[in-house]
């Protein structure tokens, strides 16, 4: 059976990729197809799926700045959205009930509100996967989306605890000691090196110190994984640990999407009800947009955040399963929820792929805030007298910046997507500002680019560099453009698309190392005789 599952998932994921859809859409369809042929989910699939979600929340925590959750637009925005969407969806479902939808005929108002509450959440798994694939986890809209999702996860844990009547054990208070153990965990991370022991250490911290301890005291394990990740976010190895767990997490999440597809046999009644549920999905997105826009974010930020959250959550299935076990809803409604979650992923995937294009088309008629009233994260950008722009101030961008400063003086400006990283660069003497170079409005927000003669595309994701390249070309940038890539086919594509120079970061690292050795050591060798 496992061979059939793996083969079907691979083929479906590959076909989805070739259709310019995220592979997760293929995994969902593979699950439905397998179920249609009589296959059922099993304990192995369910266990691996749960592990995937737990690792996902842990890696989110590793990248999450607690200050983001404390900002008003996150905690207040998530709370207001949850309340308004629950009220709106309840009204819509009651309308369906009184219009004669048979599946809802016997459902009481209390259960209608419960269904509406379940549908008010967005999927953390889907949104994070989509943001990672686009390389925009750290974009302004990406951090907003992640912050709202984390708040929703906290709401979900509180609801599940209350609704199941499961009260945390009295000794759960001991969890407040975890922050005091952080120095010990930091020291452990320092000692494990960079290989397989780092991966194993990360899994140990996530599943034992995080999920395991929280489950032991009667609190949802996933919340433990998220919080222990947040506890380690300040460690110098946090980013490396997240990257080392990436492939394991991705593989386990295949089981998560397969499991959703395998969750139930669609009936005509369930399919009809799920289509009705899908009618309220635009309301969800509209509420996100209106709430975020009220906090003075640009139209582009509000729209892309809303599109990232334009889906229903797997949390709906958890609530549905709880309600079904208590006899509150029928099996048809439970299956309809599974179908609705799946269909929302399928609908949202191509929409998110085209998010920037949708903004360019709709941004013309969506009213923008005055520049002086914009949220601090979306302010205008002044490049000063910079002649070189470096987009992406990670290790490669920082190295390029320092080399160019030593050659030409202070004529460079670095653009870094993370505000904290930009502040750190400035404290080290570099001319760096915070900004999202994949933003279609980015160049319009720059007050003057007349002095810029060279742009270096040094972002870590190929897609991000491609988007920035298109934005430069669409604004008829006349200077030179250089870019980095990880693979030879990406180099060819960059050259084909018009960059003046493209560099393979791995090949260039080797030649750079050799140049550095020669410059520092100045070795003398006897040249080999040529024949």
């Amino acid at each position: 059976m496992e061979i059939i599952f793996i083969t079907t998932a691979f083929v479906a994921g590959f076909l989805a990729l070739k259709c310019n859809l995220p592979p997760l859409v293929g995994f969902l369809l593979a699950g439905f197809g397998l179920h249609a042929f009589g296959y059922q989910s099993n304990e192995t699939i369910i266990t691996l799926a749960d592990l995937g979600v737990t690792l996902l929340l842990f890696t989110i925590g590793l990248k999450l700045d607690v200050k983001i959750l404390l900002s008003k637009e996150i905690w207040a925005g998530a709370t207001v959205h949850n309340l308004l969407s629950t009220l709106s969806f309840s009204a819509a479902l009651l309308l369906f009930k009184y219009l004669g939808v048979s599946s809802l005929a016997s459902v009481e108002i209390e259960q209608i509100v419960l269904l509406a509450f379940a549908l008010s959440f967005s999927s953390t798994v889907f949104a994070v996967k989509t943001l990672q694939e686009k390389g925009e986890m750290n974009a302004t809209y990406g951090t907003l989306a992640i912050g709202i999702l984390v708040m929703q996860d906290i709401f979900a844990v509180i609801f599940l605890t209350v609704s199941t009547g499961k009260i945390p054990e009295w000794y759960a208070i001991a969890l407040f000691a975890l922050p005091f153990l952080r120095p010990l965990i930091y020291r452990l991370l320092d000692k494990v090196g960079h290989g397989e022991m780092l991966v194993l250490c990360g899994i140990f911290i996530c599943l034992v110190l995080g999920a395991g301890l929280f489950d032991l005291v009667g609190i949802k394990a996933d919340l433990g994984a998220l919080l222990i990740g947040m506890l380690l976010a300040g460690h110098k190895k946090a980013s490396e640990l997240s990257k080392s767990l990436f492939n394991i997490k991705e593989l386990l999440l295949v089981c998560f999407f397969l499991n959703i597809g395998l969750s139930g046999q669609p009936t005509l009644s369930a399919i009809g009800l799920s289509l009705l549920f899908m009618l309220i999905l635009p309301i969800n997105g509209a509420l996100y947009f209106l709430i975020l826009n009220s906090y003075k974010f640009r139209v582009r930020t509000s729209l892309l955040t809303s599109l990232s959250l334009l889906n229903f959550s797997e949390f709906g299935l958890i609530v549905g399963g709880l309600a079904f076990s208590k006899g509150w809803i029928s099996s048809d409604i439970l299956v309809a929820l599974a179908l609705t979650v799946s269909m929302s992923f399928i609908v949202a995937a191509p929409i998110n792929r085209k998010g920037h294009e949708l903004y360019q088309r709709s941004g013309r008629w969506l009213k923008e805030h005055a520049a002086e009233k914009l949220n601090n994260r979306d302010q205008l950008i002044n490049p000063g007298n910079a002649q070189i722009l470096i987009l992406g101030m990670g290790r490669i961008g920082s190295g390029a910046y320092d080399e160019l400063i030593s050659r030409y003086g202070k004529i460079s400006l670095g653009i870094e997507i993370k505000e904290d990283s930009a502040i750190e660069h400035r404290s080290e003497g570099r001319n760096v500002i915070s900004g999202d170079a994949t933003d279609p409005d980015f160049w319009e927000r720059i007050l003057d680019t007349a002095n810029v003669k060279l742009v270096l595309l040094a972002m870590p994701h190929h897609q991000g560099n491609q988007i920035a390249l298109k934005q430069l070309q669409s604004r008829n940038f006349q200077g030179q453009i250089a870019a980095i890539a990880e693979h030879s086919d990406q180099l060819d594509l960059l050259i084909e698309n018009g960059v003046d120079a493209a560099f393979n970061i791995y090949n260039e690292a080797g030649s750079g190392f050799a140049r550095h050795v020669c410059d520092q050591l100045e070795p003398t060798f006897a040249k080999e005789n040529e024949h």
Side-chain angles (χ1 to χ4, degrees), residues 402-469:
D402 293 340
E403 177 66 21
L404 290 167
I405 287 293
S406 68
R407 286 174 180 264
Y408 304 110
K410 296 182 178 182
I411 62 171
S412 298
L413 172 65
I415 309 295
E416 170 55 44
I417 202 165
K418 294 181 181 178
E419 176 64 32
D420 288 348
S421 296
I423 293 172
E424 184 177 345
H425 280 298
R426 289 196 292 270
S427 70
E428 295 172 356
R430 299 187 182 98
N431 182 23
V432 177
I433 60 175
S434 176
D436 180 3
T438 64
D439 184 343
D441 281 345
F442 177 78
W443 304 105
E444 294 177 11
R445 290 170 60 212
I446 294 181
L447 299 178
D448 184 14
T449 58
N451 291 329
V452 179
K453 299 176 182 178
L454 173 64
V455 174
L456 304 186
L457 305 178
M459 289 178 283
H461 296 277
H462 176 66
Q463 188 176 6
N465 288 327
Q466 283 278 77
I467 292 171
L469 175 61

Side-chain angles (χ1 to χ4, degrees), residues 342-360:
S342 304
M343 284 196 293
S344 74
F345 290 175
I346 293 170
V347 169
I351 289 177
N352 276 276
R353 274 287 177 94
K354 300 291 184 180
H356 295 285
E357 294 178 26
L358 290 173
Y359 163 69
Q360 288 175 325

Side-chain angles (χ1 to χ4, degrees), residues 2 39 56 99 124 129 137 156 159 247 251 282 320 324 345 351 361 369 384 488 501 505-506 514 521:
E2 284 75 11
Y39 290 95
L56 173 70
L99 287 176
T124 302
K129 282 275 293 173
M137 279 281 288
F159 170 79
N247 289 331
L251 186 60
F324 178 70
F345 290 175
I351 289 177
R361 293 178 183 178
H369 296 289
S488 58
I505 56 176
Y506 297 119
L521 303 182

Side-chain angles (χ1 to χ4, degrees), residues 26 34 38 40 120 139 152 178 228 244 258 320 322 344 362 435 505:
L34 287 166
Q40 301 288 329
S120 70
Q152 288 185 351
L178 277 177
I228 199 73
S244 68
L258 270 179
L322 176 66
S344 74
S362 61
I505 56 176

Side-chain angles (χ1 to χ4, degrees), residues 33 70 86 107 136-137 183 186 189 203 220 233 246 290 295 343 345 353 371 382 390 423 433 435 455 521 528:
L70 298 178
T86 299
V107 181
E136 296 178 0
M137 279 281 288
Y186 272 30
L189 280 174
I203 293 174
K220 200 168 186 297
F246 181 82
L290 292 172
Y295 286 105
M343 284 196 293
F345 290 175
R353 274 287 177 94
N382 184 2
I390 303 174
I423 293 172
I433 60 175
V455 174
L521 303 182
E528 186 177 350

Side-chain angles (χ1 to χ4, degrees), residues 261-308:
L262 288 163
S263 60
Q265 177 63 51
T267 62
L268 287 176
S269 175
I271 292 172
L273 187 58
S274 66
L275 290 174
L276 287 177
F277 287 162
M278 286 296 292
L279 291 178
I280 63 179
L281 182 60
I283 299 174
N284 206 19
L287 288 173
Y288 279 124
F289 180 84
L290 292 172
I291 291 168
L292 291 169
N293 196 246
S294 71
Y295 286 105
K296 308 300 182 184
F297 284 102
R298 287 178 300 123
V299 166
R300 187 256 184 189
T301 301
S302 300
L303 181 63
L304 290 185
T305 305
S306 303
L307 293 180
S308 298

Side-chain angles (χ1 to χ4, degrees), residues 31-210:
F32 284 123
L34 287 166
H35 194 281
F37 282 96
Y39 290 95
Q40 301 288 329
S41 188
N42 55 45
E43 287 299 321
T44 301
I45 293 290
I46 294 171
T47 299
L48 293 177
D50 289 343
L51 285 174
V53 173
T54 302
L55 279 177
L56 173 70
L57 290 171
F58 177 63
T59 55
I60 290 173
L62 288 173
K63 299 178 181 179
L64 193 65
D65 185 350
V66 178
K67 290 183 291 185
I68 293 175
L69 295 183
L70 298 178
S71 61
K72 186 167 62 174
E73 55 263 29
I74 297 297
W75 67 263
T79 303
V80 171
H81 177 272
N82 189 260
L83 292 173
L84 291 180
S85 57
T86 299
L87 289 172
S88 302
F89 296 170
S90 295
L93 293 175
L94 283 171
L95 178 63
F96 295 154
K97 173 184 171 73
Y98 290 119
L99 287 176
V101 176
S102 58
S103 299
L104 298 174
S106 60
V107 181
E108 300 295 329
I109 292 180
E110 292 83 357
Q111 281 72 59
I112 289 284
V113 174
L114 179 63
L115 280 174
F117 178 71
L119 292 170
S120 70
F121 288 77
S122 299
S123 172
T124 302
V125 178
F126 178 87
V128 172
K129 282 275 293 173
T130 302
L131 289 168
Q132 284 178 336
E133 286 173 1
K134 294 194 295 183
E136 296 178 0
M137 279 281 288
N138 295 317
T140 301
Y141 85 90
T143 56
L144 278 173
I146 295 300
I148 290 171
L149 288 166
V150 170
M151 287 303 302
Q152 288 185 351
D153 285 337
I154 293 172
F155 297 158
V157 171
I158 294 172
F159 170 79
L160 288 174
T161 301
V162 172
S163 62
T164 56
K166 185 179 180 182
I167 301 173
E169 303 292 344
W170 65 268
Y171 44 81
I173 196 172
L175 293 176
F176 287 104
L178 277 177
F180 299 102
L181 297 178
R182 181 162 59 177
L184 294 177
I185 304 175
Y186 272 30
R187 193 175 303 171
L188 178 63
L189 280 174
D190 290 333
K191 298 292 185 181
V192 294
H194 302 276
E196 65 274 11
M197 281 304 296
L198 178 63
V199 177
L200 189 58
C201 181
I203 293 174
F204 166 75
I205 293 171
C206 171
L207 300 183
V208 179
L209 298 184

